[in-house]
Amino acid sequence: MLPVVAYRRTLHQIPELDSRLPKTTAYVRSRLAAFGLEAVSPIPSSVCAFLDAGRAETAAFRADLDALPIPEATGLPYASVHPGAMHACGHDGHTAMLLALAEYAAAHKEELPRNALFLFQPAEETTGGAERLCASGLLEQHRTSRVFGLHLWPKLEAGAVYSRPGPLMARSNEVTVTITGKSVHLSRAAEGLDALTAGAEYLRRAYAMAERLPHSEPLVLRFGKMTSGTVRNAVSGKTVLEGSLRTYREETQALCRQGLEDIGRAIQRETGCGVEVHLSSGYPAVWNNEGLYEILRDSLETLRELESPALAAEDFSFYQRRVPGVFFFLGAGDVPELHAPEFCFDDAAVLPAGVEFLKQLLLLK
């Protein structure tokens, strides 16, 4: 069994959530120590290692450590031993590939055109561990000039690597609209403030606003949950709408935020209900540095270009706000979707291809 496959299968059995990663970080530290690399933790539950090749600048490589609160349904012989937790997003594969790259780099230190910085971060799925790791100053401390990461991606050819210049993944903001009315019995409906009707009208106007925006890039505003009222024969006193906004450019996100807030004020004025509109800070869009991407496209024959960006979100974007960076999708083949309890892939075929691509990035002059 190839080392990268063994790493992945060990990690797959011990999925841990958010920043509570004692077994995962202990395993990563043990492997790095075996390669002769010293591990540090700039933020809790992170594991980072710097390989000093005596160069003036550094290339950073990132993997995410956390899993998802999903019961596994793959039937794999190395399935999760932690009930209710599973590596359903491929982070075990990302971490395994970065360990394999660190192992290779440590054995070929003299060949490296740059120093190498290996970043194993927590909480990609929850609170954005990348932002906190960037705030530690680690990238600047080691004179990082470029940063790379990749993500396993179903429905793309197994083992093939894809990316594109500019927008690759969306900015994600969770949208919560709370409408407070006045509940009365239906026999006295005129005395109440109907939060259900106000919520339905908010939803209609929000979708109409999104449709009017220019769609030069993909944009999604959808609400997946609406709760309202308590019983069938009383005016609803409260409605909560929960949805998500996915954009790429900051100006588009700001325009949508303003539109959602304006609709809230209008509904409040017209109905008398209180309307509160809240957007989470979310992750910025993953935006590949165009200059660095062009260098890679001209140098790496195996890199394939995507026609359009994805509407999923990723906190790798925080690294790109610090230094030029490019993110990639590693094809997992025709497998179940990410975050599905059945998600699995042919690790013996896919992961070695990913490691070879990472080596090309490591050795690129």
Side-chain angles (χ1 to χ4, degrees):
M1 183 184 298
L2 291 171
V4 67
V5 175
Y7 301 157
R8 183 258 168 165
R9 295 186 181 187
T10 298
L11 290 162
H12 191 82
Q13 295 181 78
I14 54 169
E16 296 172 304
L17 307 179
D18 192 36
S19 292
R20 303 178 298 277
L21 310 168
K23 292 182 180 179
T24 304
T25 54
Y27 180 75
V28 171
R29 282 178 169 272
S30 71
R31 298 317 309 154
L32 292 173
F35 310 152
L37 296 174
E38 180 181 356
V40 297
S41 296
I43 64 170
S45 296
S46 66
V47 183
C48 301
F50 177 65
L51 178 59
D52 188 352
R55 312 297 188 237
E57 60 184 50
T58 298
F61 298 83
R62 171 274 204 165
D64 30 20
L65 299 171
D66 56 322
L68 288 159
I70 295 175
E72 181 161 355
T74 62
L76 293 168
Y78 50 87
S80 168
V81 298
H82 293 168
M86 176 193 174
H87 272 295
C89 201
H91 294 189
D92 51 344
H94 306 164
T95 298
M97 286 185 284
L98 193 53
L99 283 174
L101 183 68
E103 183 175 17
Y104 175 86
H108 298 82
K109 180 177 173 180
E110 296 77 13
E111 302 172 24
L112 303 186
R114 296 171 190 81
N115 309 316
L117 178 61
F118 304 102
L119 309 170
F120 299 87
Q121 68 154 82
E124 189 279 327
E125 296 286 357
T126 52
T127 56
E131 184 177 22
R132 299 194 297 276
L133 191 54
C134 287
S136 73
L138 187 68
L139 297 176
E140 292 79 7
Q141 176 187 341
H142 293 298
R143 306 181 305 281
T144 305
S145 61
R146 54 183 61 183
V147 61
F148 301 113
L150 53 72
H151 201 301
L152 287 160
W153 211 256
K155 312 311 177 190
L156 295 179
E157 182 181 331
V161 178
Y162 299 78
S163 193
R164 69 189 310 275
L168 178 68
M169 301 181 76
R171 177 178 186 126
S172 174
N173 299 102
E174 302 309 304
V175 184
T176 305
V177 181
T178 304
I179 300 173
T180 305
K182 179 183 177 182
S183 180
V184 297
H185 192 274
L186 287 183
S187 63
R188 297 185 291 112
E191 300 173 23
L193 296 173
D194 191 341
L196 177 57
T197 300
E201 180 61 15
Y202 185 98
L203 184 69
R204 187 192 69 78
R205 294 188 192 183
Y207 285 170
M209 179 270 295
E211 285 299 318
R212 289 193 300 269
L213 292 173
H215 285 197
S216 54
E217 293 171 3
L219 178 152
V220 169
L221 171 64
R222 300 300 296 179
F223 289 89
K225 183 178 180 182
M226 179 177 181
T227 57
S228 187
T230 54
V231 293
R232 70 175 66 229
N233 61 345
V235 169
S236 171
K238 184 177 181 180
T239 295
V240 179
L241 286 163
E242 297 178 18
S244 185
L245 172 65
R246 301 292 173 98
T247 56
Y248 294 95
R249 297 185 185 276
E250 294 296 313
E251 53 267 33
T252 305
Q253 190 270 350
L255 191 63
C256 290
R257 175 188 287 271
Q258 185 65 53
L260 291 169
E261 292 173 349
D262 288 347
I263 293 168
R265 283 188 284 269
I267 295 290
Q268 181 167 298
R269 185 171 58 250
E270 295 167 17
T271 67
C273 295
V275 181
E276 179 184 348
V277 179
H278 178 264
L279 275 70
S280 69
S281 56
Y283 299 161
V286 173
W287 196 282
N288 287 334
N289 181 273
E290 288 86 347
L292 180 55
Y293 182 87
E294 185 176 351
I295 293 171
L296 301 180
R297 181 172 52 195
D298 293 343
S299 304
L300 306 177
E301 294 182 358
T302 56
L303 179 59
R304 303 185 185 185
E305 191 158 305
L306 293 167
E307 290 186 8
S308 58
L311 283 163
E314 236 284 353
D315 75 348
F316 183 82
S317 51
F318 287 109
Y319 299 107
Q320 294 175 311
R321 291 191 157 195
R322 297 275 178 158
V323 296
V326 178
F327 198 63
F328 308 90
F329 294 156
L330 174 62
D334 188 13
V335 299
E337 293 292 344
L338 300 172
H339 291 214
E342 300 84 11
F343 174 72
C344 60
F345 61 98
D346 185 351
D347 52 11
V350 171
L351 297 185
V355 174
E356 288 305 311
F357 183 80
L358 291 174
K359 288 179 184 177
Q360 292 180 53
L361 297 176
L362 179 73
L363 298 173
L364 187 66
K365 296 182 179 177

